[in-house]
């Protein structure tokens, strides 16, 4: 059975992420979406539990996709699934530089681990979780950016953030 791991910080999950997950689910028998911590992004908008809940609701229509979380190194986590391949999306050359470095680090830790990249769908190359957070903060319409199932969650959290910042 072929297994893919789609890791990310998903703060929050976007339609760009979901597009990569859906396409991965057509190529692999089993897909594990893993919600992880990115130490270069220290102040997440959502807690791990909130992210897990939003990712679960977003992928519920895909029967071979499951959701997990891990607080540690991705290359260590991947050892749980024999032969698993990491699958990540690439939007631009800047993504490639970062992902190439991550791939080398992951290989140092777990030499068996392979990473495959899917190029982002053209209509999502501009999209990132940080764009969504910014749009939400200013009360913009989130339709077409994130799964419909989680728009309310983001709007509620953005309202709290605006209140905190006195806006
Ligand atoms: O969605 P993101 O923020 O681009 O995802 C990055 C993520 C979470 C996959 C990456 O930061 C990660 O692998 N975090 C786990 C810790 C780890 O293994 N870091 C790489 C070696 S330093």
């Amino acid at each position: 059975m072929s297994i893919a791991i789609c890791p990310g910080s998903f703060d929050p999950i976007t339609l760009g992420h979901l597009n990569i997950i859906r396409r991965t689910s057509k190529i692999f028998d089993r897909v594990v979406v893993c919600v992880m911590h990115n130490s270069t992004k220290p102040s997440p908008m959502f807690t791990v539990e909130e992210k897990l809940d939003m990712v679960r609701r977003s992928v519920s229509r895909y029967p071979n996709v499951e959701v997990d979380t891990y607080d540690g190194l991705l290359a260590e986590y991947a050892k749980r699934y024999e032969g698993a391949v990491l699958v990540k999306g690439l939007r631009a050359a800047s993504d490639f530089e970062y992902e190439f470095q991550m791939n080398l680090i992951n290989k140092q830790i777990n030499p068996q681990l392979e990473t495959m990249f899917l190029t982002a769908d053209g209509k999502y190359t501009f999209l990132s979780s940080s764009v969504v957070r910014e749009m939400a903060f200013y009360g913009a319409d989130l339709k077409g950016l994130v799964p419909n199932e989680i728009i309310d969650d983001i709007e509620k959290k953005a309202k709290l953030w605006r209140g905190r910042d006195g806006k």
Side-chain angles (χ1 to χ4, degrees):
M1 181 191 264
S2 59
I3 306 178
I5 299 172
C6 291
S9 44
F10 302 110
D11 189 41
I13 186 170
T14 69
L15 285 183
H17 292 128
L18 196 59
N19 178 267
I20 297 290
I21 293 165
R22 182 185 59 76
R23 287 159 57 201
T24 304
S25 76
K26 289 186 176 170
I27 302 168
F28 289 83
D29 297 320
R30 182 180 172 198
V31 179
V32 181
V33 178
C34 190
V35 175
M36 305 197 76
H37 179 65
N38 182 340
S39 58
T40 67
K41 301 173 182 170
S43 307
M45 184 174 195
F46 295 95
T47 65
V48 170
E49 287 68 30
E50 288 167 336
K51 291 186 208 179
L52 275 172
D53 180 51
M54 289 190 290
V55 174
R56 283 204 176 102
R57 279 186 277 133
S58 304
V59 303
S60 62
R61 76 198 85 154
Y62 307 122
N64 62 337
V65 177
E66 58 202 84
V67 183
D68 194 10
T69 183
Y70 185 69
D71 186 15
L73 291 170
L74 174 57
E76 293 292 348
Y77 174 76
K79 289 178 183 169
R80 294 180 179 188
Y81 304 93
E82 208 190 326
V85 172
L86 298 181
V87 177
K88 295 187 162 190
L90 283 184
R91 289 164 301 186
S94 51
D95 276 355
F96 177 77
E97 274 176 42
Y98 171 78
E99 293 299 349
F100 194 75
Q101 185 192 17
M102 283 298 130
N103 171 53
L104 293 177
I105 297 167
N106 288 334
K107 278 251 178 220
Q108 285 280 327
I109 304 164
N110 179 352
Q112 315 301 323
L113 185 59
E114 297 295 351
T115 303
M116 289 182 184
F117 298 103
L118 292 183
T119 49
D121 188 307
K123 59 180 184 283
Y124 298 128
T125 48
F126 71 94
L127 185 55
S128 65
S129 298
S130 57
V131 162
V132 169
R133 291 195 301 271
E134 187 86 348
M135 300 268 287
F137 186 76
Y138 291 106
D141 186 1
L142 300 179
K143 268 208 193 79
L145 303 181
V146 298
N148 287 336
E149 296 88 337
I150 67 166
I151 289 180
D152 276 357
D153 305 62
I154 303 171
E155 286 179 349
K156 271 187 201 139
K157 182 69 78 150
K159 214 171 166 188
L160 281 176
W161 274 39
R162 280 197 293 275
R164 203 186 59 182
D165 280 26
K167 295 213 170 158

